Amino acid sequence: MNPEARTPAATDSKSPATSPGGETLRLTENVKLLLEHAAAVAKAAEAAAILILWPGKADWSRVTGLLGDQKLIVAVDTPAQAEPLHNSKVHVVITNMPESSPQDRLAEALVECVTEEYVAMGNDLVAVYGAFDATSLDTLSLFHLSDYLGRLTVRELRQLKTDIPVETLKLVINLAIEIGREGREGKPVGTIFVIGDTRRVLAHTRPLGFDPVRGYSKRERNLFDAKVREGIKEIAQLDGAFIISKDGYVVAACRHIDCSADGISLSKGLGSRHWAAAAITRRTKAVAVCVSQSSGTVRVFHDGEVRMRIEPERKRVVVWRDTDGNPETAR
């Protein structure tokens, strides 16, 4: 997701930049002025916190002095960069994306701020980061998190470079978001949907036992039917993955993914369900949508990597936006 900010200082540049991991933040007059403006914007907007995207070293006592009584969150790239900050007064989030562009790292940091419960989905948050110069801070943005994290773009799905129709991807992701947000009968539910390249996917999976969709007609397995989706929510409480054809039919359910995760690297804390989703998308051309049972977070995997991460908000309908910015309410 590319950050969309509400201040003139924001940029939509997407060029990669090298992380300044080992460098010390120089508190030049321009940087100090930017931080003072960040504090003023945060106060005026009643923002919950100020996020600084800086994985290098800094005199954080001086930084907090410039920010006044505003809550400070620092986003770093690796656990090693977080170590020196553990005994300080700042809050820390880890993006695990050192080679990514500033915009991608910022997007991940915003999600992590909510995941770590430093801020809530309904809060405003001020972000300061280096969009033009990786060796300094040069950009100030204000985010309303429920607007930002509750908005997805069709363009992001098209960037997956798959032959799976966008409508099918949206359908399955929306279903996963509902499962992550609602659970079933008050209990959290985790599951995997594997979409496309069905023949190869089946070859890398095996049944766990009874397949609850076996014997049903194609019409009765069509996810574009709301009644079918409700039935899938019930089945999602069972172990195993759903195998979905690229045109939106449930081919099989309760399948164990049986392929190696060699060569795959995921963020610390992700469980076996996420490793299985990454592995099947590395071995096939499928896209996997994984719902975390612990948090309800939805991750979209392609080619062995996490390509999208969505935090379902409890009281908001997810809105998709097409490439020209027109909103399209999710099914």
Side-chain angles (χ1 to χ4, degrees):
M1 302 181 190
N2 294 317
E4 296 180 19
R6 304 190 314 205
T7 59
T11 177
D12 60 0
S13 169
K14 298 178 184 177
S15 57
T18 302
S19 166
E23 298 186 19
T24 300
L25 177 64
R26 293 172 295 167
L27 292 177
T28 63
E29 290 304 313
N30 284 343
V31 170
K32 288 192 287 185
L33 184 62
L34 186 68
L35 294 174
E36 289 169 355
H37 277 303
V41 171
K43 183 177 181 179
E46 298 183 350
I50 295 174
L51 169 69
I52 296 180
L53 199 70
W54 185 258
K57 301 174 184 178
D59 186 343
W60 294 112
S61 61
R62 289 186 63 192
V63 171
T64 53
L66 292 168
L67 297 179
D69 59 356
Q70 299 295 328
K71 181 177 183 178
L72 174 60
I73 306 171
V74 177
V76 299
D77 290 326
T78 66
Q81 293 165 352
E83 285 295 330
L85 297 171
H86 285 330
N87 294 324
S88 67
K89 295 181 180 180
V90 305
H91 302 279
V92 184
V93 295
I94 303 171
T95 66
N96 286 306
M97 300 173 65
E99 302 302 321
S100 299
S101 69
Q103 285 70 35
D104 288 343
R105 289 162 52 225
L106 175 60
E108 182 69 10
L110 293 175
V111 174
E112 287 294 337
C113 287
V114 175
T115 301
E116 296 294 332
E117 299 184 348
Y118 294 147
V119 293
M121 281 287 289
N123 291 152
D124 282 356
L125 183 144
V126 173
V128 181
Y129 54 105
F132 299 99
D133 181 1
T135 65
S136 186
L137 300 176
D138 54 37
T139 301
L140 166 66
S141 301
L142 173 64
F143 294 91
H144 188 60
L145 294 174
S146 63
D147 285 349
Y148 172 68
L149 296 178
R151 183 172 60 238
L152 305 173
T153 63
V154 172
R155 178 177 58 191
E156 292 168 313
L157 295 183
R158 293 192 176 118
Q159 289 174 348
L160 293 177
K161 296 180 180 179
T162 173
D163 63 352
I164 302 169
V166 168
E167 288 302 316
T168 301
L169 290 172
K170 284 170 54 180
L171 180 77
V172 176
I173 292 172
N174 289 336
L175 176 58
I177 290 170
E178 289 178 16
I179 292 172
R181 181 171 55 219
E182 302 165 6
R184 208 61 180 165
E185 297 180 353
K187 297 180 180 179
V189 173
T191 193
I192 305 175
F193 297 93
V194 185
I195 317 163
D197 202 5
T198 304
R199 184 176 299 178
R200 292 183 64 193
V201 168
L202 288 172
H204 286 286
T205 65
R206 56 182 173 79
L208 284 172
F210 171 69
D211 183 345
V213 303
R214 185 175 182 179
Y216 284 88
S217 68
K218 194 172 183 180
R219 178 180 60 82
E220 293 171 312
R221 294 182 283 110
N222 183 1
L223 281 180
F224 285 91
D225 185 329
K227 292 181 180 179
V228 175
R229 295 197 298 275
E230 285 301 312
I232 292 302
K233 290 180 183 180
E234 292 290 343
I235 300 172
Q237 300 175 82
L238 304 176
D239 290 334
F242 292 95
I243 313 302
I244 312 295
S245 69
K246 67 180 184 180
D247 50 358
Y249 291 92
V250 183
V251 176
C254 298
R255 302 284 294 192
H256 173 74
I257 296 174
D258 190 12
C259 54
S260 172
D262 290 346
I264 292 174
S265 178
L266 294 180
S267 299
K268 183 180 179 181
L270 296 183
S272 58
R273 184 177 286 116
H274 298 90
W275 285 92
I280 194 66
T281 61
R282 176 61 62 86
R283 300 293 181 267
T284 70
K285 296 180 180 179
V287 171
V289 181
C290 185
V291 183
S292 171
Q293 184 171 354
S294 60
S295 65
T297 301
V298 174
R299 291 176 175 83
V300 179
F301 291 81
H302 187 235
D303 196 23
E305 298 179 356
V306 178
R307 298 304 177 91
M308 295 178 68
R309 172 174 167 171
I310 307 156
E311 296 290 341
E313 189 182 357
R314 304 299 169 187
K315 298 180 181 179
R316 183 181 176 87
V317 175
V318 172
V319 173
W320 290 93
R321 294 180 182 271
D322 59 25
T323 53
D324 62 8
N326 295 322
E328 179 184 348
T329 304
R331 292 174 183 270

